[in-house]
Amino acid sequence: MDKSRFNEWFNKKTVIELIKPQVAEEFLDGIQKSEELYKELATSYRNEFFYKNTLFNKYLLGTYSLNTSIAMSEIEINKSKADFALINRKKSFVIEIKTDLDTLDKLIYQIEDYYKVFSMVYVLTSENYYYQVYRLTKDTNVGIMVLTQKNAISVRKQATEDYSKLSHESLFQLLRKNEYEGLIEKQFDNVPEVKPIFKYATYLSMFKKIELIKAQKLVFNILLGRKNKNDVEYLNRVPLELRWLVYQSQLNKEKFERLLNNLQGGF
């Protein structure tokens, strides 16, 4: 099986090509084969992209809402990168993905890192890895999801909230400069004037004075503010197999419309 076909099509370069004013002729063939390729991916090569796209379609477009939630990927938390996180005002959780192409060597360390930001942690894996993941996490608050042979997501063990490991530093590191400045200036009446080189340390020190669960909620509310309002209007019109790629691309209205026009021309 030529796995390169999947990697060549299901990546961000595809979206870049699809938002061009004119799509190259040779690229139209890929658009026409997109659904066919995805079906093959689903049956013979369920890689990380397939897991993420399935999560995105089930949770953000199915269970939750683009209006009230945001999905994030590759979030740096200490020495780990979280595969997929969903943040909502009522419920937020992070998911570590372990496909049949992965190993479980770093799983416990990754989970420990994720609890520094998130109170609910899940592992999403295949039937093949389920019992190994269960043995590693059975005495913890970690939840387990399985991507079944029919490509449905089955929650085999519910995650339990755990706030005991939250870290001010890890939460603060998720924020951009303008975001943490706005947070601190809103939460404190007196913010000292310091040289730019000392601002991060000064603001972090003040952030540590906020009770941890409140600090988590404040950070998550800021991350929710990064939602792309154009997703609500356009994303459901994007073919299922490309939605995660398009969502990650943060397209403006003009680019969304161009992408949809090009897709319609290719199908």
Side-chain angles (χ1 to χ4, degrees):
M1 179 178 60
D2 182 11
K3 299 171 185 176
S4 65
R5 293 176 302 137
F6 305 124
N7 297 326
E8 285 170 5
W9 178 251
F10 296 110
N11 64 52
K12 290 182 180 179
K13 291 179 182 178
T14 294
V15 179
I16 292 170
E17 192 69 34
L18 284 171
I19 60 176
K20 289 181 178 179
Q22 287 189 319
V23 179
E25 282 294 326
E26 61 267 24
F27 200 76
L28 292 175
D29 184 52
I31 298 174
Q32 291 165 349
K33 291 182 178 177
S34 179
E35 186 177 353
E36 180 186 323
L37 271 175
Y38 194 72
K39 285 179 180 176
E40 194 175 341
L41 191 71
T43 56
S44 59
Y45 187 64
R46 301 195 307 180
N47 59 7
E48 188 174 291
F49 162 74
F50 183 81
Y51 275 68
K52 287 179 180 178
N53 195 55
T54 305
L55 278 169
F56 180 74
N57 280 291
K58 175 177 172 59
Y59 284 106
L60 205 69
L61 297 183
T63 307
Y64 296 93
S65 165
L66 289 167
N67 283 305
T68 59
S69 310
I70 188 170
M72 302 178 71
S73 182
E74 301 302 310
I75 311 165
E76 291 190 21
I77 305 174
N78 285 33
K79 296 179 181 179
S80 302
K81 281 189 178 182
D83 289 322
F84 188 96
L86 188 142
I87 296 172
N88 182 284
R89 291 193 186 277
K90 293 183 179 179
K91 187 176 183 179
S92 302
F93 51 89
V94 64
I95 299 173
E96 174 60 26
I97 295 169
K98 293 299 181 187
T99 75
D100 288 337
L101 309 171
D102 297 319
T103 68
L104 303 180
D105 297 350
K106 298 179 181 178
L107 181 59
I108 295 303
Y109 304 107
Q110 291 170 315
I111 288 169
E112 288 175 358
D113 280 343
Y114 300 157
Y115 272 121
K116 292 175 181 176
V117 166
F118 290 89
S119 311
M120 294 185 74
V121 177
Y122 280 93
V123 179
L124 172 61
T125 191
S126 68
E127 294 281 8
N128 294 334
Y129 266 157
Y130 171 71
Y131 286 107
Q132 292 180 60
V133 172
Y134 176 77
R135 284 196 295 269
L136 286 170
T137 62
K138 65 179 180 178
D139 296 322
T140 72
N141 293 310
V142 176
I144 305 174
M145 300 174 176
V146 168
L147 186 65
T148 69
Q149 293 300 318
K150 294 183 178 179
N151 295 318
I153 294 176
S154 169
V155 178
R156 300 290 175 85
K157 180 189 173 200
Q158 288 286 352
T160 305
E161 288 184 324
D162 183 352
Y163 295 94
S164 66
K165 303 176 183 71
L166 290 179
S167 158
H168 281 102
E169 290 92 340
S170 298
L171 284 163
F172 197 73
Q173 286 167 5
L174 296 183
L175 300 177
R176 299 163 182 162
K177 182 174 181 290
N178 66 307
E179 291 172 339
Y180 70 69
E181 286 179 348
L183 185 156
I184 295 301
E185 289 162 9
K186 188 174 181 180
Q187 292 297 311
F188 294 90
D189 293 329
N190 299 308
V191 180
E193 289 284 342
V194 294
K195 292 181 179 180
I197 194 172
F198 301 120
K199 184 169 274 191
Y200 184 89
T202 301
Y203 279 37
L204 173 57
S205 178
M206 297 180 75
F207 183 70
K208 288 180 178 178
K209 296 176 183 177
I210 303 171
E211 189 271 328
L212 259 172
I213 296 178
K214 180 181 178 181
Q216 183 197 49
K217 187 175 292 186
L218 289 170
V219 168
F220 283 0
N221 283 342
I222 289 172
L223 297 179
L224 274 170
R226 296 181 186 175
K227 293 194 308 291
N228 180 2
K229 63 177 189 253
N230 295 300
D231 289 333
V232 177
E233 184 177 355
Y234 294 107
L235 202 61
N236 279 307
R237 291 161 56 192
V238 173
L240 178 146
E241 61 269 18
L242 297 177
R243 286 176 183 165
W244 175 245
L245 290 177
V246 173
Y247 180 81
Q248 289 277 282
S249 300
Q250 290 282 299
L251 302 182
N252 61 29
K253 186 170 184 175
E254 178 189 350
K255 289 179 179 178
F256 249 122
E257 290 178 349
R258 200 185 300 151
L259 176 136
L260 290 169
N261 285 335
N262 288 336
L263 282 170
Q264 288 168 3
F267 284 106

